[in-house]
Amino acid sequence: MLQADYALRNYNAFGFDVHARIGGLIRSETALAKLRTDKCIASMPRIVLGAGSNIVFTRDFDGLALVIDLRGKRIVSQTDDAYIVEGAAGERWHDFVYWTLQQGMPGLENLALIPGTVGAAPVQNIGAYGLELVERFERLRAFDMIDGRIVELNVQECAFGYRDSIFKNAARGQLIILSVIFRLPKRWYARDSYADITSRLAMNKISEPTAQQIFDVVTAIRREKLPDPAVLGNVGSFFKNPIVSAEYFAALQAKEPDIVFYAQCDSRVKLSAGWMIDQCGWKERSIGGAAVHKSQALVLVNRGGATGEQVLELAQVIRADVRQRFGVELDIEPLVV
Ligand code: EPU
C-alpha cells in the first residue's frame, strides 16, 4: 500500500515535482488503524493530502504522505427543518455539491467548483460568494492517530475561523478527517447578494434564482476568473484578505478612496487583497515560472517549470509592495511545506 520515494506531483495543485520519503493512498478506515500499529511509520512526520489544493511544497517531504481516497456519499436523515448528508473525505467537493442538488437538497451551491475534496473543505473552512462551510456544517468524523479512536467533532470543536480550523492548528497531522456531515436547511433561500452574483443574475434577467441557477452562475464566474488547476497549477487565493480596525480603515480610505472592503459584524473591516495587489501592478508579472494570474491577482500560478521557492519569492515581493503602499501584512493562506 505504501511506496518509498512517493511521487506527489498529482497530489499538489501547483503540480510541483516533489516526493515524500514514503506515501500512499488511504482507501479504508482500517488502513489507517493498521498504519498506526507500525511504530516506525507512526513516528514519522506526516502530511495528509486530499487533492493538494491548498499546499505549497518547497522541497521533498521527509516523512509520510497520506492521500485520503475514502469514497461514498449518503443521506443520513432528515429533521423537520433540515436534511443531513454525509460525504467521505476523498470525494471531490464539486461532485458532492452537484449530488446534493440532484437529491433536491440545496444549500451548498455557492461553493460550487471549489477544487479539492470533501475532507479538505473543513480544514480551511472553504468559502465563496457569500457562504462559508461553517454555515452548513453539522459534524465530522476523524481518526485520531495518537490513540487510534474514531472521534466526532461538532462545529465548536472544529474552531472554524476565516480560512481556518483546528485542523490547521492543534489537530494538524493528528486527526485525519474521514467524513463530513452537513445540515442543509429545508427552508432554503438564495444567497445572491455577492456583487458578482447579483450582476450576473441581472445580466441573465433572473430575479428569483433557483439553487441550480446559483450553482450555474457561480460555476460561470469561477471559470472566468479563476484558473483551473488541471490546466494551470494553482492553489486558489494565495493570501487571506486582511482584517483591520475601523480606525485604521478610515485613515486608509482617506488616502485610497477606491479601496475595496467588506465591513465585518464586529466593526472591523476586511480588505480585498486581490484589489491591493492589482493596484500595485502585479497582474501577470512573474518570477521564473511563478506568476500572478491575469484575471485574479490573489491567485499565483505555475506557468510551467516553477518551483515552490519561486512562488514564495514572488509572494514575498508582493507582500512588501502591499505593506509599503497600504501598510498591511498579507498572510499566506495555503500550507507551506
Ligand atoms: N479585485 C481586483 N483585482 C483583482 C482581484 C480582485 O480589483 O485582481 C477586486 C474585484 O473586482 C472585487 C474584489 O477585488 O471587487 C474582490 O474580488 P473577488 O470577488 O474575486 O474575491 P476575493 O476577495 O479576491 C475571496 C476568496 C475567494 C473566493 C472569492 C469569492 C479569500 C482569500 N478569497 O476572494 O476564495 O472565491 O472571495 O467569494 O477569501 C480561495 O480561498 O482560494 C478563494 C478563491
Side-chain angles (χ1 to χ4, degrees):
M1 178 184 68
L2 294 181
Q3 285 169 35
D5 196 26
Y6 189 63
L8 296 176
R9 193 188 197 126
N10 293 332
Y11 304 116
N12 77 98
F14 267 123
F16 297 143
D17 190 12
V18 289
H19 289 69
R21 173 145 51 119
I22 187 164
L25 296 181
I26 296 296
R27 294 210 154 110
S28 72
E29 298 183 2
T30 47
L32 279 176
K34 273 206 196 114
L35 278 184
R36 236 193 102 252
T37 58
D38 182 321
K39 283 217 171 62
C40 168
I41 286 190
S43 64
M44 276 186 203
R46 187 164 46 231
I47 83 170
V48 180
L49 297 168
S53 302
N54 208 41
I55 193 161
V56 188
F57 284 104
T58 55
R59 53 176 193 279
D60 286 340
F61 179 66
D62 189 18
L64 170 69
L66 299 177
V67 179
I68 305 302
D69 195 24
L70 304 167
R71 299 299 175 127
K73 32 193 190 293
R74 68 184 183 113
I75 299 163
V76 177
S77 61
Q78 54 174 305
T79 63
D80 285 348
D81 56 4
Y83 299 106
I84 311 294
V85 294
E86 178 172 20
E91 290 288 332
R92 298 277 129 186
W93 172 257
H94 180 71
D95 297 346
F96 182 70
V97 173
Y98 184 72
W99 174 80
T100 56
L101 286 183
Q102 279 186 323
Q103 307 308 306
M105 299 173 185
L108 296 175
E109 56 284 347
N110 293 56
L111 305 179
L113 215 64
I114 295 184
T117 57
V118 168
V123 176
Q124 55 159 338
N125 181 21
I126 57 170
Y129 305 104
L131 182 74
E132 267 189 354
L133 171 129
V134 60
E135 297 169 76
R136 301 289 188 238
F137 181 86
E138 171 70 12
R139 61 185 190 276
L140 60 71
R141 295 170 58 253
F143 184 79
D144 188 329
M145 286 297 277
I146 291 183
D147 64 15
R149 284 185 312 145
I150 291 180
V151 292
E152 289 209 350
L153 273 71
N154 65 23
V155 68
Q156 282 79 25
E157 289 163 326
C158 289
F160 290 120
Y162 167 52
R163 295 296 188 278
D164 201 21
S165 75
I166 192 171
F167 304 101
K168 273 186 156 183
N169 301 294
R172 188 169 142 198
Q174 179 187 342
L175 292 184
I176 298 183
I177 297 169
L178 301 170
S179 69
V180 187
I181 296 142
F182 296 88
R183 164 175 288 271
L184 306 177
K186 286 186 175 169
R187 245 168 283 133
W188 177 87
Y189 64 93
R191 292 280 183 105
D192 56 1
S193 55
Y194 199 90
D196 276 351
I197 294 194
T198 316
S199 58
R200 193 164 294 242
L201 287 173
M203 200 171 85
N204 296 346
K205 301 194 170 39
I206 299 169
S207 55
E208 283 184 22
T210 63
Q212 184 61 47
Q213 285 170 324
I214 298 276
F215 177 94
D216 293 343
V217 158
V218 167
T219 303
I221 298 167
R222 291 190 76 96
R223 288 223 164 97
E224 219 165 78
K225 285 200 167 173
L226 297 164
D228 176 354
V231 179
L232 196 59
N234 77 91
V235 292
S237 300
F238 201 83
F239 304 99
K240 289 188 191 181
N241 284 330
I243 300 175
V244 298
S245 68
E247 298 73 42
Y248 189 85
F249 176 69
L252 187 58
Q253 198 182 29
K255 275 202 310 186
E256 302 276 358
D258 296 332
I259 193 160
V260 177
F261 65 97
Y262 314 92
Q264 303 293 284
C265 42
D266 58 4
S267 94
R268 294 184 305 161
V269 180
K270 195 189 257 187
L271 305 177
S272 163
W275 181 84
M276 291 191 285
I277 298 167
D278 196 1
Q279 292 298 303
C280 292
W282 274 102
K283 256 186 199 159
E284 292 203 83
R285 284 168 67 187
S286 58
I287 291 183
V292 178
H293 186 51
K294 62 176 176 0
S295 35
Q296 201 346 336
L298 200 49
V299 179
L300 305 189
V301 298
N302 176 5
R303 279 187 184 158
T307 62
E309 295 291 1
Q310 284 171 346
V311 170
L312 284 191
E313 208 183 314
L314 179 60
Q316 295 309 349
V317 282
I318 291 171
R319 293 178 79 210
D321 266 10
V322 168
R323 188 183 306 124
Q324 194 180 10
R325 173 157 167 188
F326 299 97
V328 293
E329 282 302 323
L330 293 184
D331 288 338
I332 290 179
E333 199 272 314
L335 176 67
V336 177
V337 174

